């Protein structure tokens, strides 16, 4: 049975947990009964000494407040390390935590990318037709409350955050009640709020970060499947991946039976988040089972938006609520993945058959590229591609 842990219980469990003691970098991660196969770094061409040096450097603060680093190669975990640092649970301070594989951790906006995987399953195919349909056509129950021009917004625009709706999330911090995502948490019907906003520029012309659009995706999933988002996630994603312990929080105004926050509310254990990265790496397959359609994985990794203001050097653009790009280090490696406040990261590198999971506690801080540098160090440690 899925356990949706209450915040206070999760906080107490975190504070009471002991230190997890990893093996040296040359050893494989611990074999646990969670579906993960494990292997030594050498089998993936990694230099154990380079990974060990990285693991020793992280607690010195060179990469900021890092909590966990996991590396998959071709379906097997080959590196897994946990660290100590301050943390939060959706804004609730937890103090200093000694992390281990059983700790739940905020994903923040990585939740958006998980929600998009659910959409791919719910749509079930015929993606071009679904993507080019007006998003308002999926919500006949709120017809009459749409903002001016909302019928011009296609589902494709929603997923690429080019909807053009009036929304203020990029210039106002999340600590400010004028932030529109914060404002959304104070209404009873978040989907109606988002689609009730007028279109202020032609859809498809400009990328503008909008967490409310993910709540629209969640509403679409519920209407298409006839199931609550959590129940549907349990059935088609979490159960196939063996994810049984998680928390998916939502705004109080949305009620006990209301939707969770599809934009930022999900909390997973590190190895379970790494399974999401594994799905992206392995064309939607986990342990031989097609969990998410391969066609949908191919769509989400496409670079639909070439440049975004958060990455001025153009390394990353945007796909379907996943970031997509190529490394500008001479390798031209394709990288796509997910990103969340606090520097939560999933990096997927198909050519290297590698997925890197990073959890951190740098919430509401301007990124200085700490986790990106950490990721580059992991790649640099892989000397032989197999």
């Amino acid at each position: 049975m899925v356990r949706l842990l209450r915040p206070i219980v999760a906080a107490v469990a975190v504070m009471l947990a002991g230190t997890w003691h990893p093996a040296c970098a040359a050893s494989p991660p611990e074999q646990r009964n969670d579906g993960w196969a494990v292997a030594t770094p050498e089998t993936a061409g990694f230099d154990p000494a380079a990974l060990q040096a990285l693991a020793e450097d992280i607690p010195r603060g060179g990469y900021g407040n890092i909590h966990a680093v996991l590396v998959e190669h071709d379906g097997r975990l080959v590196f897994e390390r946990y660290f100590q640092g301050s943390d939060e649970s959706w804004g609730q301070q937890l103090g200093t935590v000694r992390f281990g594989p059983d700790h739940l951790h905020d994903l923040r906006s990585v939740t958006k990318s998980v929600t998009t995987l659910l959409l791919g399953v719910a749509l079930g195919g015929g993606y071009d037709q679904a993507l080019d349909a007006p998003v308002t056509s999926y919500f006949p129950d709120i017809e009459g409350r749409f903002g001016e021009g909302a019928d011009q917004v296609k589902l494709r625009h929603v997923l690429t955050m080019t909807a053009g709706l009036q929304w203020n999330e990029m210039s106002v911090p999340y600590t400010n009640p004028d932030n529109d995502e914060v404002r959304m948490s104070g209404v009873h019907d978040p989907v109606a709020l988002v689609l009730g906003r007028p279109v202020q520029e032609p859809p498809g012309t400009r990328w503008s970060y909008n967490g409310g659009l993910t709540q629209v995706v969640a509403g679409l999933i519920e209407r298409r499947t006839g199931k609550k988002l959590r129940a549907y996630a349990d059935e088609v994603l979490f159960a196939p991946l063996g994810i049984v312990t998680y928390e998916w929080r939502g705004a109080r105004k949305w009620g006990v039976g209301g939707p969770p926050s599809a934009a930022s509310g999900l909390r997973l254990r590190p190895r379970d988040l790494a399974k999401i990265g594994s799905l992206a790496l392995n064309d939607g397959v986990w342990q031989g089972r097609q969990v998410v359609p391969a066609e949908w994985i191919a769509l989400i990794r496409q670079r639909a938006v070439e440049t975004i203001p958060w990455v001025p050097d153009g390394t990353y653009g945007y796909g379907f609520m996943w970031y997509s790009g190529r490394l500008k280090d001479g390798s031209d490696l394709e990288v796509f993945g997910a990103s969340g406040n606090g520097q939560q990261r999933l990096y997927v590198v198909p050519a290297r058959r590698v997925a890197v999971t990073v959890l951190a506690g740098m919430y509401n801080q301007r990124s200085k590229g700490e986790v990106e540098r950490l990721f580059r160090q992991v790649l640099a440690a892989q000397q032989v591609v197999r």
Side-chain angles (χ1 to χ4, degrees):
M1 180 181 294
V2 174
R3 289 178 285 159
L4 299 175
L5 305 181
R6 297 182 182 275
I8 188 169
V9 174
V12 170
V14 164
M15 296 307 296
L16 294 179
T19 305
W20 182 76
H21 299 283
C24 69
S27 302
E30 181 185 0
Q31 183 69 65
R32 297 167 63 91
N33 187 28
D34 60 3
W36 271 112
V38 299
T40 64
E42 292 96 328
T43 62
F46 283 97
D47 177 4
L51 291 178
Q52 183 66 30
L54 177 63
E56 292 174 356
D57 196 31
I58 287 172
R60 301 187 184 109
Y63 300 95
N65 182 14
I66 301 298
H67 297 160
V69 180
L70 296 85
V71 180
E72 171 194 351
H73 177 260
D74 213 15
R76 298 179 297 179
L77 279 182
V78 297
F79 182 76
E80 177 183 26
R81 282 297 178 95
Y82 298 96
F83 307 93
Q84 178 174 296
S86 60
D87 197 29
E88 300 178 4
S89 173
W90 226 37
Q92 175 188 347
Q93 298 294 324
L94 298 178
T96 299
V97 180
R98 296 175 179 177
F99 286 93
D102 293 320
H103 285 93
L104 290 174
H105 199 288
D106 276 16
L107 305 192
R108 301 296 175 101
S109 286
V110 176
T111 309
K112 296 177 172 67
S113 303
V114 176
T115 300
T116 306
L117 294 181
L118 292 172
L119 176 65
V121 180
L123 292 176
Y127 292 127
D128 286 341
Q129 182 178 355
L131 292 169
D132 288 328
V135 71
T136 54
S137 67
Y138 293 100
F139 297 94
D141 55 308
I142 59 175
E143 188 173 359
R145 291 186 283 164
F146 298 130
E148 183 177 356
D151 58 345
Q152 303 169 26
V153 179
K154 298 178 180 180
L155 178 56
R156 186 184 304 275
H157 300 140
V158 169
L159 293 170
T160 56
M161 293 202 181
T162 60
L165 294 172
Q166 182 187 83
W167 193 261
N168 188 0
E169 189 174 340
M170 294 181 68
S171 60
V172 178
Y174 294 109
T175 53
N176 189 323
D178 290 333
N179 182 294
D180 275 327
E181 184 169 326
V182 176
R183 182 177 285 116
M184 180 175 64
S185 68
V187 301
H188 292 289
D189 190 340
V191 174
L193 171 72
V194 179
L195 294 181
R197 293 294 178 85
V199 169
Q200 61 182 12
E201 56 189 338
T205 60
R206 187 173 70 90
W207 185 86
S208 182
Y209 199 70
N210 181 340
L213 294 174
T214 322
Q215 212 60 46
V216 171
V217 171
L220 191 163
I221 293 168
E222 291 190 338
R223 285 161 174 81
R224 188 174 182 89
T225 64
K227 299 176 181 179
K228 296 294 187 179
L229 188 66
R230 291 187 185 92
Y232 189 67
D234 288 340
E235 176 186 336
V236 305
L237 186 62
F238 294 157
L241 294 180
I243 297 175
V244 296
T245 301
Y246 72 92
E247 181 182 348
W248 201 341
R249 302 179 66 174
R252 291 180 180 178
K253 276 279 189 178
W254 301 347
V256 175
S261 170
S264 63
L266 188 57
R267 288 169 55 80
L268 292 179
R269 296 181 297 183
R271 282 187 168 212
D272 288 339
L273 176 57
K275 292 176 183 179
I276 301 297
S278 189
L279 281 182
L281 176 65
N282 295 292
D283 300 320
V285 174
W286 172 254
Q287 293 188 332
R289 176 176 177 177
Q290 193 75 50
V291 179
V292 177
E295 182 184 356
W296 188 249
I297 298 295
L299 285 170
I300 67 171
R301 68 189 273 188
Q302 290 180 4
R303 191 166 179 163
V305 178
E306 279 298 314
T307 59
I308 57 177
W310 293 347
V311 190
D313 70 353
T315 300
Y316 295 101
Y318 204 66
F320 287 179
M321 296 187 179
W322 287 69
Y323 295 83
S324 180
R326 290 189 176 274
L327 297 184
K328 295 187 174 183
D329 58 359
S331 69
D332 198 38
L333 281 172
E334 178 198 359
V335 179
F336 73 102
S339 175
N341 185 346
Q343 298 199 44
Q344 324 312 322
R345 299 288 190 270
L346 285 177
Y347 293 99
V348 180
V349 190
R352 295 281 190 93
R353 302 300 303 151
V354 164
V356 180
T357 300
V358 182
L359 291 166
M362 293 170 274
Y363 304 106
N364 299 319
Q365 300 176 28
R366 186 178 182 85
S367 171
K368 298 178 182 178
E370 299 95 331
V371 174
E372 182 72 15
R373 288 190 291 106
L374 191 160
F375 162 63
R376 302 292 182 100
Q377 288 295 104
V378 171
L379 281 188
Q382 191 187 28
Q383 299 178 331
V384 180
V385 180
R386 297 183 181 182

